Amino acid sequence: MKPLKQLCVPRGNVFDPQKRDTVLDLLDLIEKRVSPDEFFSENYLTEGMKALLEQAFRRLEGKSAQGVFKLKQAMGGGKTHNLLALGLLARHPELRDRVMAKLYQSDPSLGPVDVIGFSGRESDAPLGLWGALAEQLGNRDHFKDCYAPLQAPGQKAWENLFAGKTVLVLLD
């Protein structure tokens, strides 16, 4: 049997002081500051992540009615990490077969998905959660009647915002 030191060789960038303290946030995904190729080359798909990807893509492809996935507490960033993986694969169909080949065959007719999100760390959004999400879809004025006074839009307003689109909404 080979010693652990031979079996586990860390990537070179593990020792890069500019990289080792990097902690990705949902905002990094939303603002397109995450390289999908780099992300997936440096990460391992856990069993929980595999389950999330399979179930979420079944929903995005219209094969499942389950539309809400509540992630349970995971060790240090696991939930955010799962959201990043899902968002990157939703946004980049060219990566789906390579990353998910052994767990799920995605429907090639599902193109890039609009990925929007909100992080609870950004709780000072002037237009509220709904304004931030509408703005990411390029439709900030869609909820204009809900901005002053700030009030939550109803179900029909959300349906109208998403009409004709495949949208993945990530909340962290």
Side-chain angles (χ1 to χ4, degrees), residues 13-145:
N13 67 358
V14 167
F15 303 105
D16 180 349
Q18 293 189 5
K19 288 272 232 180
R20 73 172 164 230
D21 292 332
T22 300
V23 176
L24 295 174
D25 183 275
L26 187 60
L27 196 58
D28 293 315
L29 173 73
I30 300 308
E31 295 183 358
K32 299 179 179 162
R33 295 188 302 241
V34 180
S35 163
D37 289 318
E38 187 176 320
F39 180 88
F40 287 110
S41 72
E42 295 180 349
N43 289 283
Y44 174 79
L45 297 184
T46 64
E47 292 305 311
M49 187 184 296
K50 289 176 185 177
L52 172 66
L53 295 175
E54 178 181 352
Q55 294 305 312
F57 273 93
R58 286 179 45 74
R59 170 61 178 189
L60 291 169
E61 294 167 357
K63 298 174 184 172
S64 171
Q66 182 179 357
V68 175
F69 303 92
K70 182 179 177 187
L71 304 182
K72 293 182 180 176
Q73 182 64 33
M75 183 178 73
K79 292 188 305 289
T80 301
H81 194 78
N82 284 332
L83 295 176
L84 293 171
L86 175 58
L88 287 169
L89 289 173
R91 190 179 280 159
H92 299 278
E94 70 278 6
L95 296 176
R96 294 175 193 156
D97 285 342
R98 179 174 54 117
V99 174
M100 298 192 304
K102 294 179 182 172
L103 65 117
Y104 184 76
Q105 297 301 312
S106 65
D107 185 339
S109 68
L110 178 65
V113 173
D114 289 322
V115 178
I116 60 175
F118 188 82
S119 172
R121 296 179 186 137
E122 303 299 323
S123 61
D124 59 349
L127 302 178
L129 163 69
W130 44 92
L133 296 175
E135 191 168 35
Q136 290 171 39
L137 286 174
N139 202 350
R140 176 184 175 154
D141 289 340
H142 183 78
F143 294 134
K144 67 181 183 286
D145 295 336

